[in-house]
Amino acid sequence: MKVLQSRRLLRWLGPATMVLVLGACAGDAPQDALDPAGPYARSVHNLFVPVFWVAVAVFVLVQGAIVFAVIKFRRKDGDDAWPEQTHGNTRLEVGWTILPALVLAVMAVFTVPVIFELDDKRPDESILVEVTGQQYWWAFSYPEHGDIVTANELHIPAGRPVFLEMTSEDVVHSFWSPRLNGKRDVTPGRVHTWTIEADEPGVYSGQCAEFCGASHANMRLKVVAHDEAGFDAWVESQHQLPEAPTDGLAAEGFELFETRGCAACHDVRGQYEVVSETSPPAPDLTHLFTRDCFAGCIYDLNDRNEVEAWLRDPQRKAGSLMVIGELSEADIDALYAYLETLR
Amino acid sequence: MSTTEQSTMVVPPGGHEPHAEHAGGGHHTSTGLSNEKMAMWTFLGSECLLFGGLISTFLLYRGKEVVSGPEVRELYDIPFTSVSSFILLMSSLTMVLALSAIQRGNHRQLRTWLLTTALLGSTFVAGQVYEFTAFYREGLGFTTNIQSSAFYVLTGFHGAHVTIGIVMLLSLFVMSHRGSLPTGRSETVEIVGLYWHFVDIVWIIIFTVIYLVP
Amino acid sequence: MALTDDRPVLELTAGEDAERREPLGVFRRPTATTGWRSWLTSVDHKKIGIMYGATAMVFFAIGGLEALLIRTQLATPDGQVLSEQAYNQAFTMHGTTMVFLVIMPMLAAFANYLIPLMIGARDVAFPRLNALSYWIFLAGGLFLYSSFFLGGAPDNGWTSYAPLSNNLAYSPGMGQDFWTLGLQITGIASLASAVNLIVTVINMRAPGMTLMRMPIFVWMSLVAQFLLLFAIPVITVALFLLMFDRLFGANFFNVAEGADPLLWQHLFWIFGHPEVYILILPAFGIISEVIPAFARKPLFGYPFMVFSGVAIGFMGWGVWAHHMFASGLGPVSVAAFSLSTMFIAVPTGVKIFNWIATLWNGKLNFTVPMLFAVALVSQFVIGGLSGVTHSVAPHDTQQHDTYYIVAHFHYVLFGGSMFGIFAGVYFWWPKVFGRMLSETIGKAHFWLMFAGFNLTFGPMHILGLQGQPRRTATYAEGMGWDLMNQLATWGSYLIAASFLLWIFNVVKSRANPPAGADPWDARTLEWSISSPPPAHNFDIEPTVSQLDEWWHRKYGEDDHGVIVRRDDYEWMSVVGPEEGGTSAPPPESIHLPSPSYWPIVLALGLPLIAYGLLFTYWLSALGGLVLIASVYGWSLEPSVDPDAGHGHVEPDRVDDDDDPGTAADPVAAGTTEEPS
C-alpha cells in the first residue's frame, strides 16, 4: 500500500509535467512573455532564462532528495527500532547556508546592471509617445509628429526604440505589451517613462496590468509596428483630416454626433473639438476607421455588428463612461455611416 | 519590598492574583517581569510603528507643494507650542513623583500627583484644541490640503493618546480614593506611567520633527 | 505559593476603606462550563483555539466557494458566469478572506491551543484578552461579510490600491468602507493576540523551559507574533488614512491635491510582506513538529531552524518594495530590494535542507499529517524558487500582476500554509478532540487535495508567463490560455471534492474510538496529558530539562546505546489505562480564571461603531458606550470569580490582569485566608 503511494506520486508527476511542458510550447500566445520580439524584452528574457535553469536544477536536486528520502527511508512494517538520533551537523548547515548565498550572489551580479540599463533615460534615435491611461482605455499622442492622437492602438516604427511618457487621468494602470518589454505602472500625478521596441513589423498584443476597476479586464491595447516607410505613411495619413460629410446618411450622422452629445467628449479634429484642460474624456475619433479595435480594444471595429451593438448599449462594457441614450435603428445607421467616414 | 510588608500580606478569597514582584515570589514568571508590565512594553513597541507610519506620512507631504490653502508651517506658533510641550514634559516629572509616592506608601501624595499629571495633560490637550481652532480660523481645515490632513491626523492621534492617558490617570485617582489601589499594586501606577512617558516621548519627536526641523 | 496582596494594613489612609465590594456589572458572573453558553463566555485557551479553528474552517469554505466562482468564470474565454462587478467582488473577498479570515485565525487557533500546552503553562498570560481577540476577529469577519447584504462587497482587490480605493468617484459603493473598517477590527484582534502570546511565551514557560528548549512551533509562532505586533500598526495607519479620505474628505491619496498614490502602496506592503511570513512561519513550525514525530528522529539542526526563522523575521522587513518593481521606484531602490529579496531565500533554503536532513536516515511513517508535511516541503520549494525569479527585478516586470504571481503565492500560501495547517489539524486532532481522524479518508483527502492543488496552480505559472494578467474577469479567445485555464478549473473542483472528504472525515470521527493520550508517540509536552486535556492542562507543573522533553522522559538508552522505552515515566495529568497511562495523583484544586461576559460584549461595540460610521452616527455612539462600559466592567471584574467556590488556592501560573486599571478588591484587612 505504502510503496504503491509513492509510485502513484511518480505516476502523477510524469504526465502532469508532460502536460505542462507541452502546454507551454504549444499554442499561439500573442502576449507571450517568453517570446520576446524586441531588444528590451530580450534583455529581460536573457536574464530570466539562466535563472530559470538554475531554478530547475535546484528543483530537480531538492525534489530528487525529497523523493529519494521518501522512498528509501520509509519505515518497514513491524520495524520498531529507532534510527540513529542525529541532532545536526554544523558543517553541513554552514555549507547549505553559504552555497545558495553564492548562487544568489552570482545572480545579483548579472541582475543589477540590467536594472540600471533599463532605467528611464531616453535612448538616442527614439520617438516619443505620450501615453494616458484612463478607465478603461489608452490615449496615445505623438508630440514630435505634429497633431496625432489615437486610442488603444499604438503605432510605432519597427527597429527604433519608442520612449513612452506615461500618466493616468484617474487610477493606477499599468502599460504592458509583453513581447516588447515588461510593464510599468501608469500612475496619476506622476509621469513614468518606459521604452519599448519591436524588431520586426507586426501587431503586438498588450493589456492594462494593474487592477483599475470594473472593466480592468477590458482595457487592452495593440502595438502596431510598421517598417520605416509604413510608419511615415501612417504619420502622413494621420495628418490628413477627414472632411465632414455634407449629404446622405453620413451627414445625418454628422448632425446626430452633436445632437446626441457625442461631440461633448469625442474629438474629431477639424470637425468637433472638445474643450478640456486635460486630454478629452473619451477617445479621439478623427481617424477611427483606420483602427482595428475599439472600446479598450475589446471589440472588432471591422465588424459592423459590434459597432452597432456598442451604439445600442455602451454599458455592454462594464463601467463604460459613455452615455448615449436610446437610439433608433435609423439613428444607428446614420451614426455608423458618419463614423465610417472618419479615416 | 520589605519583609514586614510580606508578612502582613492579605489574601483575597480567590481574588486577584498579585504580581510576582510585590508578591515577593520572583519565580512567578519566567523573566521576573510581571505579565502586565511586559504587555505594556510590547504594546508600546507596536505603538512606535503606528506613530512611525503617521510621522512618515506627514514628512512625505510636508515637502510637497499644496494645491489649495496655506502650508501648515506658515501657521506654526512655535512659542505657544513650546510652552504646551513643556507642560506635557513636566507631566512626566509629576508622573514619576506619583509612582514614587505610592511606592513609599504615601497615598495622599499619590493622588495629588496623579491629579497634577492629569491636569497638565489636560492643559496640553486644551492647548492643542486651541491650536486646531486657530489654524482652522486661518483657513487650514482638515480637508484643505494634503498637509493639513496629515497634520491633523498625526497630532490628533497623539492628542487622543494623551486623552486616553488622562482617563487612565483619573481612573487611578478614583481607585486610590476608593481604596482599591493599595501600595502593593503600585505596579499599576508604574504601567500607566510607562504609557504616559511613551506618549510624552512621542510628542518630543513630533514636536522636533514637525515643528522645529525646517 | 500564597495568593497574597501586600497592602500593609497599617498603611490605610483616608478613603482607603477595606470594605469588600461586589464586582460591579450588570451581569451575573457566567458559571456555565458546558453547553453552548460556556463557549460564549469561556476564557480557556483551548476552547478559544477550537473556536478560532472552527470559524476559520467556515470562512475557508466560503472563500473556497468564491474561488470556485472565479475558476468557473475563467474556465473558458469570455466567461459569462459572473458579471465584471461580481467577479471583482469574488476575487477581492477570496483574497481578503483567505488571508485575514482563514490562515491568520487558523494559525491563531494552533498558537492559542498549543503554546500554553507546549511551554507547560496553565493558560495564556491574559485569558480574557484572549477571548476578546477571538470575538473581535469574529465581529470583524461578520462585519466584512455583511457587506454582501448591505449594498455590495468590496471589489478593489485585497490590496485596494489608491486612488481606486479612496476616491468615491472610482469606488462609490460602501464595499470599500466595509473592507477598510472590517480589517481595522480584525487588526485589533491580531494586535491583542500578538501582545498576549508574546507575553505568554516569554513569561509563562514552565521551570527549565529555556528559550532554546522551546518546541520549534512555539518559536515560529513567537516570531510571527512579533511580526504581527509591528506590522499591524502599519496597515492600521494605512486603513485609517483611507478611512479618513473616504468618510471625512481627507486628502491622503487625493491626487488632485498633490497626494502621492505610492504612499498607499508603501504602507500596504510594509505590512504586506511581513504578513506573508506571519502566514507561513507558524506553518513551518507545525511541520517541524510533525516531521520529527514520524521520522522518529529529532529535528535536524534545531538551533539553525530557530535562527533562520528569526532571520526571516528580520529580513522580512526589508523586501516590501519587491511588490512594487513596476511602480516606478527608480533603479537604486529597485536594485536594493532586488538584492534583499534574493538573500531572504537563504534562511528559507536552510529550513528546507534541514527538513530533508530530518527525513534522511529516518524511519518514515507516512501518516496523513506526515503526507501533508512532506507535501508542504515539496510545494514550498516550488513557491520559493518562483519567488527567487521575482527577485530578478527586470524580469519581475513581466511576472508582476500575472498568473505567474498567482501561482507563486498560492504555492506558498496554499501549498505551504494550508498544507501545514492540515498537517497540524490531522496531527493534533486526537489531542484536541480525543478521537482519531480516519487515516483512510485522510489519505484520500490528501491525495485529492495534492492533485487538485497542483493541477490548479501548476498551469498558472505558464499562463502568467504567457501573459495572462491577474484580476481580469474575462480573456479573449485566441490568447493561447484556454487549455491551462481549463486544467486549473478542473483542479479547483478536485480541491473542493477533497474538502468534502475532509468534512466527512470530521463528521465520522465522532464515532471513532478514543485516541489515547499519545497516539503518535510524539515528542512535546502536550502529549503527556490526557486527550482532550483537562481544563487546567497539567496536574503537575512540568519541569523541563531538555528539548523534546516528553520524548526524553519516555525513552532512554540501554547499556548498548540502543533506545528503549522507559517504564517509569509519569503522565502529567490523569490518564486512564485505556489511554496508555497508569495513574497520576488527582490534581490539587487549581484555580482557573473564571468565564466572563465582557470580552464578547466589548467585541460587539466595535462593529456597532463601524456600522455607525457608515449609516448613522447614533449607532457609533451606542457602540462607543458599549465599549467604554465594558472596559470598565472588565476592569472591575476580578479575573477569578471570588464566589466560584474553588477549594484550595493553587494558582500556579494563572494570571490575568489585562488592564492596568484592574481592581482586585482585597478582602478585609488583617485576615489572611489560609491558602493551603
Side-chain angles (χ1 to χ4, degrees):
Chain A
M1 175 67 187
K2 279 167 182 162
V3 182
L4 205 76
Q5 273 157 8
S6 72
R7 290 226 187 97
R8 208 187 299 164
L9 172 75
L10 290 177
R11 222 186 298 151
W12 252 105
L13 280 177
T17 323
M18 286 297 285
V19 169
L20 294 185
V21 170
L22 285 176
C25 303
D28 189 24
Q31 216 160 279
D32 196 346
L34 296 174
D35 184 17
Y40 292 92
R42 206 173 307 114
S43 70
V44 165
H45 185 67
N46 289 345
L47 205 52
F48 177 67
V49 171
V51 173
F52 175 75
W53 286 112
V54 170
V56 167
V58 175
F59 174 83
V60 169
L61 282 174
V62 176
Q63 302 289 13
I66 295 172
V67 171
F68 178 80
V70 163
I71 295 170
K72 176 81 196 293
F73 303 117
R74 182 175 294 276
R75 179 181 167 205
K76 314 275 179 304
D77 280 338
D79 178 3
D80 279 336
W82 285 76
E84 193 192 340
Q85 302 287 298
T86 43
H87 288 270
N89 180 325
T90 307
R91 210 180 293 170
L92 268 179
E93 302 280 356
V94 173
W96 60 46
T97 307
I98 289 180
L99 200 70
L102 285 179
V103 174
L104 290 163
V106 173
M107 259 173 60
V109 167
F110 285 96
T111 302
V112 172
V114 182
I115 294 174
F116 285 91
E117 199 179 292
L118 291 172
D119 186 28
D120 309 335
K121 278 180 282 308
R122 181 172 176 182
D124 303 334
E125 306 285 299
S126 60
I127 71 160
L128 175 69
V129 180
E130 287 175 357
V131 179
T132 310
Q134 315 196 27
Q135 284 178 327
Y136 302 93
W137 59 282
W138 299 94
F140 302 111
S141 64
Y142 295 69
E144 293 172 355
H145 292 80
D147 196 15
I148 298 180
V149 181
T150 180
N152 299 324
E153 280 188 15
L154 174 60
H155 289 257
I156 63 169
R160 273 176 74 180
V162 178
F163 190 66
L164 308 174
E165 284 184 358
M166 311 191 291
T167 192
S168 163
E169 286 292 312
D170 37 48
V171 302
V172 182
H173 304 277
S174 194
F175 180 92
W176 187 37
S177 182
R179 297 189 63 203
L180 305 181
N181 200 346
K183 60 185 72 66
R184 170 66 40 111
D185 283 0
V186 177
T187 309
R190 299 168 73 104
V191 177
H192 288 159
T193 59
W194 199 231
T195 314
I196 58 170
E197 183 177 340
D199 294 327
E200 303 289 337
V203 178
Y204 302 95
S205 171
Q207 181 137 18
C208 173
E210 182 63 63
F211 182 72
C212 59
S215 250
H216 167 59
N218 299 324
M219 188 170 164
R220 302 174 196 158
L221 65 102
K222 265 181 197 165
V223 182
V224 183
H226 304 271
D227 58 22
E228 202 71 31
F231 183 70
D232 291 343
W234 179 80
V235 168
E236 185 55 32
S237 77
Q238 297 294 303
H239 286 148
Q240 309 292 329
L241 299 184
E243 290 190 11
T246 50
D247 57 350
L249 205 54
E252 271 176 50
F254 178 71
E255 293 293 321
L256 278 173
F257 195 80
E258 187 167 23
T259 53
R260 302 305 299 230
C262 313
C265 301
H266 290 283
D267 254 336
V268 180
R269 273 165 287 145
Q271 301 177 17
Y272 296 111
E273 304 276 342
V274 176
V275 185
S276 163
E277 279 180 25
T278 53
S279 58
D284 182 300
L285 299 182
T286 313
H287 296 94
L288 175 65
F289 267 79
T290 61
R291 303 177 204 150
D292 286 325
C293 61
F294 70 103
C297 225
I298 55 171
Y299 302 121
D300 185 358
L301 195 60
N302 301 312
D303 182 346
R304 180 167 176 155
N305 293 331
E306 295 274 32
V307 182
E308 290 187 354
W310 176 257
L311 291 175
R312 260 175 231 122
D313 178 22
Q315 290 306 315
R316 67 189 299 225
K317 177 179 163 184
S320 161
L321 296 176
M322 180 159 152
V323 182
I324 192 164
E326 204 155 320
L327 295 171
S328 68
E329 287 304 305
D331 287 349
I332 289 176
D333 284 344
L335 269 175
Y336 186 84
Y338 166 60
L339 293 175
E340 236 188 349
T341 67
L342 302 176
R343 290 177 187 273
Chain B
M1 207 126 308
S2 76
T3 43
T4 0
E5 273 174 357
Q6 283 181 24
S7 63
T8 54
M9 284 171 179
V10 283
V11 180
H16 200 81
E17 171 73 355
H19 314 301
E21 287 174 4
H22 34 85
H27 62 276
H28 208 68
T29 65
S30 309
T31 56
L33 204 64
S34 79
N35 286 346
E36 291 73 22
K37 205 192 280 184
M38 184 174 290
M40 183 50 86
W41 278 113
T42 317
F43 172 70
L44 293 180
S46 179
E47 291 275 280
C48 289
L49 273 282
L50 188 86
F51 281 104
L54 292 169
I55 291 173
S56 311
T57 303
F58 183 85
L59 290 182
L60 175 70
Y61 284 162
R62 188 177 67 172
K64 288 188 152 245
E65 271 180 43
V66 298
V67 176
S68 40
E71 296 220 23
V72 179
R73 77 169 73 89
E74 295 164 15
L75 305 180
Y76 290 150
D77 182 352
I78 303 283
F80 176 82
T81 318
S82 301
V83 170
S84 70
S85 305
F86 180 75
I87 290 171
L88 191 64
L89 270 186
M90 283 304 102
S91 76
S92 262
L93 180 67
T94 55
M95 189 71 228
V96 172
L97 292 173
L99 176 61
S100 137
I102 190 174
Q103 281 170 343
R104 281 182 286 108
N106 191 334
H107 292 266
R108 200 168 309 216
Q109 256 190 36
L110 164 72
R111 288 193 288 272
T112 311
W113 290 125
L114 282 177
L115 208 57
T116 317
T117 313
L119 272 175
L120 291 174
S122 311
T123 314
F124 173 82
V125 174
Q128 199 170 40
V129 172
Y130 171 77
E131 190 187 36
F132 281 13
T133 38
F135 282 17
Y136 183 75
R137 276 201 217 97
E138 295 189 55
L140 193 81
F142 178 62
T143 59
T144 304
N145 57 41
I146 50 176
Q147 289 187 1
S148 71
S149 295
F151 173 81
Y152 285 117
V153 166
L154 171 59
T155 52
F157 245 80
H158 181 266
H161 274 77
V162 177
T163 309
I164 291 170
I166 293 169
V167 171
M168 291 202 287
L169 289 170
L170 294 178
S171 304
L172 286 184
F173 177 83
V174 172
M175 279 169 68
S176 173
H177 199 74
R178 282 161 39 103
S180 47
L181 194 63
T183 311
R185 293 180 55 77
S186 71
E187 199 193 56
T188 309
V189 178
E190 195 181 345
I191 289 170
V192 172
L194 280 178
Y195 175 87
W196 190 260
H197 296 315
F198 170 81
V199 171
D200 281 5
I201 291 168
V202 168
W203 180 255
I204 295 174
I205 295 168
I206 294 177
F207 183 61
T208 314
V209 174
I210 306 303
Y211 289 82
L212 298 183
V213 176
Chain C
M1 169 70 221
L3 183 61
T4 56
D5 194 303
D6 64 343
R7 183 180 56 167
V9 184
L10 297 176
E11 280 190 59
L12 280 177
T13 51
E16 295 197 316
D17 57 309
E19 179 196 341
R20 167 101 188 268
R21 258 176 294 273
E22 289 302 317
L24 284 182
V26 287
F27 303 122
R28 285 171 60 94
R29 190 95 191 208
T31 48
T33 52
T34 53
W36 62 272
R37 277 198 191 84
S38 71
W39 292 86
L40 298 184
T41 56
S42 175
V43 296
D44 180 353
H45 72 101
K46 297 180 290 296
K47 280 189 168 167
I48 293 168
I50 292 170
M51 289 194 287
Y52 262 118
T55 313
M57 272 299 163
V58 172
F59 279 122
F60 186 56
I62 298 171
L65 280 177
E66 286 153 358
L68 291 181
L69 285 175
I70 294 171
R71 280 318 319 165
T72 309
Q73 164 83 354
L74 294 178
T76 55
D78 298 317
Q80 300 290 328
V81 180
L82 301 174
S83 68
E84 268 90 348
Q85 285 86 350
Y87 178 88
N88 295 343
Q89 291 181 11
F91 80 72
T92 299
M93 288 303 283
H94 168 73
T96 308
T97 303
M98 290 304 188
V99 169
F100 293 101
L101 306 182
V102 178
I103 299 183
M104 283 173 76
M106 211 58 224
L107 297 172
F110 283 104
N112 262 301
Y113 199 99
L114 293 175
I115 285 178
L117 295 179
M118 283 183 156
I119 61 173
R122 293 241 188 276
D123 206 316
V124 293
F126 305 106
R128 285 185 299 174
L129 187 66
N130 202 25
L132 178 70
S133 296
Y134 168 75
W135 293 112
I136 292 182
F137 148 71
L138 182 66
L142 294 178
F143 174 80
L144 187 58
Y145 264 90
S146 70
S147 62
F148 274 109
F149 311 102
L150 295 168
D155 57 358
N156 291 326
W158 88 282
T159 54
S160 286
Y161 271 19
L164 183 62
S165 57
N166 71 302
N167 193 321
L168 297 176
Y170 308 134
S171 44
M174 274 192 296
Q176 183 62 48
D177 298 307
F178 274 102
W179 187 86
T180 314
L181 295 166
L183 292 194
Q184 283 180 43
I185 294 174
T186 59
I188 297 171
S190 299
L191 186 64
S193 163
V195 171
N196 203 345
L197 292 174
I198 287 172
V199 175
T200 304
V201 173
I202 294 183
N203 244 3
M204 307 278 287
R205 282 167 286 132
M209 177 66 82
T210 60
L211 289 178
M212 293 309 278
R213 287 177 193 161
M214 286 198 312
I216 190 86
F217 171 77
V218 177
W219 256 113
M220 292 303 107
S221 290
L222 179 65
V223 175
Q225 299 307 324
F226 268 107
L227 290 176
L228 272 171
L229 183 75
F230 295 125
I232 291 291
V234 182
I235 185 76
T236 304
V237 168
L239 294 168
F240 266 126
L241 304 188
L242 182 56
M243 177 181 81
F244 283 127
D245 266 20
R246 288 185 62 89
L247 298 181
F248 308 120
N251 297 306
F252 290 103
F253 310 108
N254 184 353
V255 180
E257 285 288 342
D260 189 347
L262 259 61
L263 173 64
W264 171 267
Q265 300 182 23
H266 279 293
L267 289 174
F268 185 85
W269 289 117
I270 290 173
F271 151 79
H273 204 83
E275 171 73 11
V276 172
Y277 298 107
I278 291 165
L279 299 175
I280 192 63
L281 283 176
F284 282 175
I286 289 173
I287 68 155
S288 301
E289 302 292 346
V290 169
I291 291 179
F294 297 109
R296 294 164 73 89
K297 276 176 68 195
L299 184 66
F300 194 87
Y302 168 86
F304 289 89
M305 289 299 247
V306 170
F307 291 137
S308 61
V310 175
I312 291 172
F314 274 104
M315 294 171 80
W317 291 93
V319 297
W320 82 85
H322 69 212
H323 298 269
M324 300 165 64
F325 281 155
S327 296
L329 294 173
V332 178
S333 311
V334 170
F337 281 98
S338 179
L339 293 181
S340 63
T341 306
M342 286 177 186
F343 287 103
I344 204 167
V346 173
T348 320
V350 167
K351 287 194 172 294
I352 302 272
F353 292 128
N354 276 300
W355 286 320
I356 297 176
T358 308
L359 295 175
W360 213 261
N361 280 327
K363 299 214 165 161
L364 313 183
N365 187 7
F366 280 94
T367 59
V368 178
M370 183 68 158
L371 288 171
F372 275 106
V374 173
L376 182 154
V377 178
S378 170
Q379 286 161 175
F380 195 85
V381 168
I382 299 175
L385 288 171
S386 59
V388 170
T389 65
H390 305 328
S391 73
V392 182
H395 198 266
D396 184 67
T397 63
Q398 293 283 24
Q399 304 160 9
H400 179 67
D401 268 336
T402 69
Y403 267 89
Y404 188 80
I405 298 287
V406 177
H408 161 75
F409 67 68
H410 279 94
Y411 264 85
V412 178
L413 294 184
F414 193 159
S417 301
M418 273 321 286
F419 271 67
I421 284 166
F422 274 114
V425 168
Y426 274 93
F427 188 57
W428 281 293
W429 189 273
K431 176 51 61 191
V432 176
F433 297 105
R435 319 241 163 209
M436 302 292 282
L437 287 164
S438 153
E439 279 284 295
T440 317
I441 307 173
K443 279 177 180 161
H445 166 205
F446 168 77
W447 284 108
L448 208 55
M449 187 172 262
F450 176 77
F453 166 77
N454 284 290
L455 189 60
T456 308
F457 299 105
M460 287 187 189
H461 289 108
I462 294 160
L463 282 175
L465 292 174
Q466 284 185 330
Q468 184 176 7
R470 68 193 276 210
R471 292 173 172 163
T472 44
T474 59
Y475 53 93
E477 242 171 298
M479 299 303 283
W481 303 331
D482 304 14
L483 173 66
M484 292 293 136
N485 272 304
Q486 250 175 49
L487 288 179
T489 302
W490 284 115
S492 70
Y493 295 160
L494 287 187
I495 298 175
S498 75
F499 185 79
L500 294 180
L501 278 178
W502 149 246
I503 297 295
F504 177 57
N505 204 351
V506 168
V507 173
K508 219 183 133 279
S509 73
R510 296 157 60 105
N512 290 353
D518 187 12
W520 309 115
D521 196 6
R523 315 179 71 87
T524 40
L525 285 175
E526 74 273 24
W527 303 103
S528 71
I529 53 177
S530 67
S531 306
H536 56 273
N537 295 351
F538 298 93
D539 293 351
I540 322 151
E541 182 181 57
T543 303
V544 176
S545 60
Q546 53 205 312
L547 183 65
D548 289 335
E549 173 72 17
W550 176 236
W551 189 87
H552 285 286
R553 289 191 184 203
K554 288 187 292 184
Y555 289 96
E557 288 182 1
D558 67 9
D559 301 339
H560 310 289
V562 177
I563 293 166
V564 289
R565 197 170 179 112
R566 297 183 215 272
D567 44 20
D568 58 344
Y569 62 89
E570 196 177 13
W571 297 89
M572 286 181 229
S573 79
V574 178
V575 167
E578 75 278 8
E579 293 189 85
T582 49
S583 63
E588 293 293 310
S589 209
I590 287 166
H591 224 96
L592 287 170
S594 312
S596 172
Y597 286 115
W598 293 117
I600 191 168
V601 174
L602 203 165
L604 184 72
L606 292 169
L608 277 181
I609 293 175
Y611 281 121
L613 288 174
L614 298 182
F615 296 102
T616 161
Y617 289 139
W618 290 110
L619 265 183
S620 294
L622 179 64
L625 281 180
V626 171
L627 203 69
I628 293 169
S630 33
V631 166
Y632 275 95
W634 177 312
S635 304
L636 295 171
E637 173 190 81
S639 77
V640 180
D641 184 1
D643 303 325
H646 293 263
H648 297 285
V649 178
E650 179 92 307
D652 253 40
R653 313 178 59 70
V654 173
D655 203 342
D656 179 36
D657 193 2
D658 327 1
D659 192 287
T662 304
D665 287 346
V667 288
T671 61
T672 300
E673 276 204 6
E674 193 270 309
S676 97

